[in-house]
Amino acid sequence: MPSFGMVEKEKEIIPIKYDGIGRFFGEGLVPAKVNEKWGFIDKKGKEVLPFKYDFAYKFSSGLACVEIDKKRGFIDKTGKVVIPIIYDETGAIFDNDEMEVEKDGRKFYIDKTGKEIE
């Protein structure tokens, strides 16, 4: 299996030891994959949030979408779950502080606290 890291101007900035790595940093962190689980590392390759998610998206506006057991929710940069990991579908980034989500076949919008918008 290939390994991934990041190199800038011929200098390794993140060790080439990850099973996968996000394309872009979001707020100083990038998702990275080790042993089939995703977590977050900083620009020096230091593990900031543990590798425990089935998938993870970059941080934007203080939140990152994560997936566990085919359900999605959002965490903050401390790893605290801000929006419960209960949704079948979500976007990756909030647009105008709202996002369309789907749960149990029902589509609706939530705000950045997870509150349903009417």
Side-chain angles (χ1 to χ4, degrees), residues 87-103:
Y87 299 100
D88 302 315
E89 292 290 332
T90 69
I93 298 174
F94 278 82
D95 184 26
N96 295 321
D97 294 334
E98 64 183 31
M99 177 177 297
E100 183 180 46
V101 296
E102 183 175 335
K103 183 179 177 195

Side-chain angles (χ1 to χ4, degrees), residues 10-115:
E10 298 182 17
K11 179 183 175 201
E12 181 180 272
I13 58 171
I14 294 180
I16 300 172
K17 67 177 188 176
Y18 298 98
D19 301 331
I21 197 161
R23 291 183 184 184
F24 305 103
F25 278 89
E27 301 178 14
L29 301 177
V30 68
K33 183 179 179 184
V34 173
N35 296 325
E36 302 300 317
K37 293 295 181 180
W38 289 84
F40 290 87
I41 58 176
D42 66 14
K43 291 183 178 184
K44 295 181 181 177
K46 179 184 173 200
E47 180 183 325
V48 177
L49 295 175
F51 296 91
K52 66 180 189 176
Y53 305 103
D54 296 333
F55 199 80
Y57 297 86
K58 73 174 187 159
F59 275 90
S60 176
S61 300
L63 299 175
C65 180
V66 293
E67 186 174 305
I68 297 176
D69 295 329
K70 299 184 181 181
K71 298 290 183 182
R72 292 182 179 182
F74 290 81
I75 60 171
D76 66 15
K77 289 175 74 174
T78 69
K80 177 184 172 193
V81 175
V82 176
I83 297 174
I85 304 170
I86 59 173
Y87 299 100
D88 302 315
E89 292 290 332
T90 69
I93 298 174
F94 278 82
D95 184 26
N96 295 321
D97 294 334
E98 64 183 31
M99 177 177 297
E100 183 180 46
V101 296
E102 183 175 335
K103 183 179 177 195
D104 301 326
R106 181 175 163 257
K107 290 184 179 185
F108 54 97
Y109 285 86
I110 59 171
D111 66 16
K112 286 185 174 181
T113 68
K115 182 179 176 186

